[in-house]
Amino acid sequence: MASSYKSFKELSNQEGEGKDYQIRICSREKGVVILAPHGGKIEPMTSEIAEAIAGEDYSFYSFEGLKAEGNHVLHIESHLFDEPQALKLVENADIVLTVHGQLDRKDEFIMVGGLHISLRSEIKRRLEEAGFQTRPPSEGLQGIDPENICNRGRLKNGAQLEVSRKVRDSLRADRERLQAFADAVRKAIQRFKKRSF
């Protein structure tokens, strides 16, 4: 999805906070941040998935579309996403994970991208163990741009999940499955946190 706006400043000059969009932040453990930069009605269910992964202990951020329609205009591409509170939250984090929505309604799959190869592999393994299908990220969805918000943490690498619409719809309908998804990702993060950086 191409950006209508090339920066947060450009977006905020045209769109109203509280009317067109909102930002939700819960700052907990500073070492781990889970973000939904295209939450609310921009990429439905990504906020809920990110919040479930964050749980009660990891920091959470969501930029959410609130419009009755046309929320796609609020989609700032990940390598351009520069909302100041998000940047501040991630800059000192060792682990940054972003949750995105992929458009496929026919197939259930998750694409795991980002520059943090070890974390990506662990997330992929844990999701597959929990019964979810993964596939390699397609062109443009690899999350390997150094400016991608997932790669702007302290270690300059991170991970991103592209969750197909069919998976997101199933997670909306089945809260137990949503929790299983979140638990799988959390296990990957927890295991990785035990390793030395």
Side-chain angles (χ1 to χ4, degrees):
M1 190 184 297
S3 294
S4 295
Y5 298 111
K6 302 303 182 189
S7 69
F8 175 73
K9 184 175 182 184
E10 197 177 292
L11 181 150
S12 62
N13 285 338
Q14 300 294 322
E15 310 286 349
E17 185 168 7
K19 177 173 76 75
D20 300 310
Y21 71 90
Q22 69 181 7
I23 296 168
R24 288 196 299 131
I25 301 172
C26 193
S27 186
R28 299 185 184 102
E29 181 186 326
K30 297 196 185 313
V32 180
V33 180
I34 314 298
L35 301 95
H38 308 135
K41 296 179 182 177
I42 306 170
E43 293 174 351
M45 271 304 286
T46 58
S47 297
E48 293 88 337
I49 294 167
E51 200 163 19
I53 295 168
E56 296 296 318
D57 42 1
Y58 298 149
S59 290
F60 164 78
Y61 171 98
S62 185
F63 178 87
E64 301 177 350
L66 300 175
K67 293 172 177 283
E69 57 186 32
N71 284 275
H72 64 278
V73 302
L74 302 172
H75 183 285
I76 301 173
E77 289 182 52
S78 296
H79 68 285
L80 300 173
F81 195 87
D82 60 352
E83 195 282 309
Q85 294 172 91
L87 295 181
K88 185 169 172 45
L89 200 60
V90 303
E91 66 182 3
N92 293 314
D94 292 322
I95 295 176
V96 179
L97 174 73
T98 57
V99 180
H100 300 270
Q102 195 274 350
L103 297 174
D104 199 305
R105 292 175 182 269
K106 291 198 324 278
D107 297 323
E108 287 200 2
F109 61 87
I110 301 103
M111 298 185 290
V112 187
L115 287 174
H116 202 313
I117 307 300
S118 302
L119 181 57
R120 271 172 47 185
S121 298
E122 187 67 13
I123 291 171
K124 181 176 179 296
R125 184 174 77 81
R126 293 288 185 170
L127 283 171
E128 288 172 355
E129 278 181 357
F132 293 93
Q133 299 291 317
T134 69
R135 64 171 62 165
S138 53
E139 187 70 31
L141 299 178
Q142 298 103 325
I144 55 175
D145 189 320
E147 293 300 307
N148 185 308
I149 187 69
C150 81
N151 296 320
R152 296 186 68 171
R154 190 175 68 82
L155 302 178
K156 305 303 178 194
N157 58 31
Q160 75 173 28
L161 305 180
E162 291 280 353
V163 186
S164 76
R165 183 60 186 260
K166 189 163 185 183
V167 171
R168 286 181 283 136
D169 288 346
S170 79
L171 298 182
R172 183 195 302 280
D174 185 342
R175 292 292 155 160
E176 283 186 17
R177 193 169 193 232
L178 172 60
Q179 195 56 55
F181 183 101
D183 288 346
V185 178
R186 286 174 58 83
K187 282 176 188 170
I189 292 169
Q190 287 158 4
R191 179 166 179 185
F192 185 80
K193 278 182 64 187
K194 292 174 185 172
R195 301 174 187 167
S196 62
F197 291 107

